[in-house]
Amino acid sequence: MSKINELFNSKLNVINVGIEFFKDDILKQNATATHLEWKPPGGGKPELITALDKLEDPALLEKIEAANKLAVERIVNSQPILIGFDQAINCVPGMTKTTILHSGPPITWDRMNGAMRGAVTGAIVFEGLAKNLEEAAKVAASGKITFAPCHEHNCVGSMAGVTSASMFMHIVENRTYGNIAYTNLSEQMSKILRMGANDETVIARLNWMRDVLGPMLRDAMKLSNGIDLRLMLAQALHMGDECHNRNNAGTSLLIQALTPFILETNFTTEEKREVFDFVASSDYFSGPTWMALCKCALDAAHGIENSTIVTTMARNGVEFGIRVSGIPGNTWFTGPAQKVIGPMFAGYKPEDSGLDIGDSAITETYGIGGFAMAAAPAIVALVGGTVEEALGFSTKMKEITTTENPNVTIPLLNFSGIATGIDVRNVIQTGILPVINTAIAHKEPGIGMIGAGITYPPTEAFEKALLALSDKIS
């Protein structure tokens, strides 16, 4: 009896499992409570639990672990090198004068959201396929334009992702495995094509990029032996970037590497000054560069039989899609695109926002961006949240990945490697979804960027992938 009295007279320290508001009630009683975040595997869905159980069979598990080891080794050992710039029509596989590549999984004109429609019509005018935006909308709906995901042409494109024939592209070669990835140039920030803006100022900028910036970068890189992007990425993280939405250091490093070769080109001093002023106008100049790096590394890990590693996460503003190494080719597993929660620019409110869009989640798939926010605590000024949460994201993502990349490390986490190799099984087992930080485009065409924040993929995409892997792996 004395032990019971002792219990009731002592201060409680409770571990709460399950519904979090129980913890809040305990705290109101002046007791100490620790919440253990736990969800039933597969959300308690019988078909997902059955699939997880099947993939835990010792015979299958050995195959999966061997395949996943190979997949993450390919990601980690990839050495993406920037080797050049050229127009898409000259280098992107399958590109034609009437091809427009977009972000995310496949989508048709009639289903595109406002930002993507704005970007598509702007690109059609830019390419001279229509005289104005009204005519461009008719051309887009006519069947004369071939629409395809960037990812299915070895490319990535931020936000709307729209890539057309005349646009200049990064050309990034995987020095380890030989594959090549592409992405277009940064227009810098806010009122730009990739955010859905498409007025005369946007088209004029694209024309200048085609006629001056792109050719200058092309000629500069012809004087170079290539730029080691993985080494530069590692430096940028040590200098406070996460290389998705914070690129202050990365842009400085990239233009520093390019400058000697730019100065040796035959362009005029005035044109060179225009290029340097353009780069100085926004820190996002290197943003697409890191996307191409990540795409280059992840493509090397795609198509490994029995692997449950995610090699693509991408959104088109309507659907969020993933691709998995063990399901080769262009098989997409999709769910609805989600809202992005974060600070809005002055004059805009959350209901003005379009849904999550862009191929830039390739950075999180590799292990940077939202996964590396601990390297860039200052990012919270743009995407919201706290420094503590930024640190927590990088730690939490290790629960759904299979390894750390020792080539790219985070100083604030004791120089541990970035979390690498998202495993579909881990996502379904834990209920933890990959965190993504991203810009927010207006829901209507023609406006552009109106904020930035945090979002997550839909669970459905990972559920579908798990079921497909369960059926395939035997």
Side-chain angles (χ1 to χ4, degrees):
M1 194 71 175
S2 60
K3 287 290 184 182
I4 294 176
N5 290 334
E6 185 179 324
L7 173 64
F8 280 105
N9 289 324
S10 62
K11 186 173 177 64
L12 294 178
N13 191 339
V14 178
I15 297 177
N16 181 64
V17 180
I19 301 173
E20 190 167 4
F21 69 73
F22 288 167
K23 175 199 73 175
D24 299 331
D25 288 338
I26 295 167
L27 293 175
K28 289 176 184 177
Q29 305 303 315
N30 295 318
T32 302
T34 302
H35 180 67
L36 177 62
E37 191 171 321
W38 179 85
K39 298 176 184 177
K45 296 179 181 179
E47 68 274 21
L48 297 177
I49 294 172
T50 299
L52 286 169
D53 287 344
K54 178 188 173 183
L55 297 178
E56 284 295 318
D57 177 88
L60 297 186
L61 190 59
E62 186 176 352
K63 292 181 180 179
I64 294 168
E65 295 302 328
N68 286 350
K69 181 182 179 186
L70 176 59
V72 295
E73 280 178 356
R74 281 178 161 261
I75 297 169
V76 168
N77 292 336
S78 286
Q79 188 181 12
I81 305 291
L82 179 63
I83 61 170
F85 295 90
D86 204 349
Q87 287 180 291
I89 192 69
N90 297 329
C91 60
V92 173
M95 177 60 75
T96 72
K97 291 182 179 180
T98 55
T99 296
I100 291 184
L101 306 182
H102 61 76
S103 60
I107 193 168
T108 53
W109 167 255
D110 59 296
R111 296 182 60 238
M112 290 180 184
N113 76 348
M116 190 173 286
R117 280 180 171 241
V120 166
T121 51
I124 289 172
V125 172
F126 164 64
E127 292 293 343
L129 301 173
K131 295 178 182 177
N132 54 50
L133 296 173
E134 291 74 23
E135 185 179 319
K138 293 177 182 177
V139 172
S142 70
K144 295 178 182 178
I145 302 296
T146 300
F147 294 109
C150 292
H151 270 289
E152 296 184 7
H153 289 258
N154 300 349
C155 293
V156 276
S158 37
M159 298 305 287
V162 166
T163 301
S164 60
S166 300
M167 293 180 182
F168 270 80
M169 311 293 288
H170 295 71
I171 304 173
V172 177
E173 180 184 44
N174 192 329
R175 199 56 63 82
T176 313
Y177 301 107
N179 60 293
I180 296 178
Y182 309 88
T183 192
N184 52 12
L185 300 176
S186 170
E187 305 162 74
Q188 303 301 70
M189 295 298 285
S190 197
K191 193 176 181 182
I192 51 180
L193 190 79
R194 71 171 184 268
M195 300 284 183
N198 53 17
D199 67 14
E200 295 85 353
T201 64
V202 173
I203 304 304
R205 186 189 304 112
L206 290 172
N207 288 337
W208 175 81
M209 292 172 67
R210 177 197 62 205
D211 298 338
V212 179
L213 175 63
M216 193 181 299
L217 293 175
R218 177 195 61 203
D219 291 358
M221 282 304 298
K222 287 179 180 178
L223 303 171
S224 164
N225 291 321
I227 296 172
D228 186 334
L229 294 181
R230 190 182 67 183
L231 177 60
M232 190 175 286
L233 174 73
Q235 290 177 292
L237 260 68
H238 285 190
M239 294 168 68
D241 283 358
E242 41 73 74
C243 291
H244 182 170
N245 285 287
R246 182 176 171 84
N247 294 286
N248 302 50
T251 289
S252 297
L253 292 168
L254 181 60
I255 195 61
Q256 181 182 21
L258 289 168
T259 292
F261 306 114
I262 289 174
L263 294 177
E264 290 185 43
T265 65
N266 293 324
F267 290 81
T268 67
T269 299
E270 182 182 358
E271 288 170 326
K272 292 172 184 175
R273 179 176 288 279
E274 287 176 358
V275 166
F276 290 128
D277 286 345
F278 178 75
V279 173
S281 71
S282 166
D283 295 316
Y284 195 71
F285 178 71
S286 66
T289 313
W290 311 127
M291 290 172 55
L293 174 156
C294 297
K295 169 72 172 169
C296 201
L298 288 158
D299 274 0
H302 191 63
I304 296 174
E305 188 177 12
N306 302 320
S307 175
T308 58
I309 298 299
V310 176
T311 50
T312 304
M313 295 195 296
R315 319 85 95 199
N316 59 29
V318 176
E319 291 181 313
F320 191 115
I322 68 171
R323 298 192 301 177
V324 181
S325 179
I327 310 287
N330 293 317
T331 300
W332 292 87
F333 302 99
T334 63
Q338 304 294 295
K339 292 181 179 180
V340 181
I341 307 300
M344 311 294 292
F345 293 168
Y348 296 103
K349 47 193 183 300
E351 48 266 41
D352 296 324
S353 304
L355 297 177
D356 187 26
I357 187 171
D359 288 336
S360 58
I362 196 71
T363 56
E364 279 81 8
T365 318
Y366 180 78
I368 55 176
F371 280 43
M373 286 174 67
I379 191 69
V380 299
L382 176 67
V383 302
T386 66
V387 171
E388 184 180 5
E389 287 171 333
L391 293 168
F393 287 137
S394 297
T395 302
K396 195 170 190 179
M397 291 304 100
K398 294 185 179 184
E399 296 183 47
I400 59 171
T401 50
T402 59
T403 193
E404 295 179 5
N405 187 336
N407 301 305
V408 185
T409 60
I410 300 177
L412 281 179
L413 297 181
N414 246 356
F415 289 93
S416 63
I418 55 173
T420 299
I422 301 169
D423 191 330
V424 170
R425 297 173 304 164
N426 292 353
V427 173
I428 298 299
Q429 185 78 43
T430 64
I432 298 172
L433 292 166
V435 64
I436 298 165
N437 61 34
T438 185
I440 303 172
H442 200 284
K443 65 183 179 183
E444 300 296 338
I447 298 175
M449 182 178 175
I450 61 171
I454 299 292
T455 191
Y456 297 89
T459 306
E460 295 96 313
F462 292 88
E463 292 176 347
K464 292 174 184 176
L466 181 76
L467 294 174
L469 288 163
S470 176
D471 288 340
K472 184 172 177 60
I473 300 174
S474 59

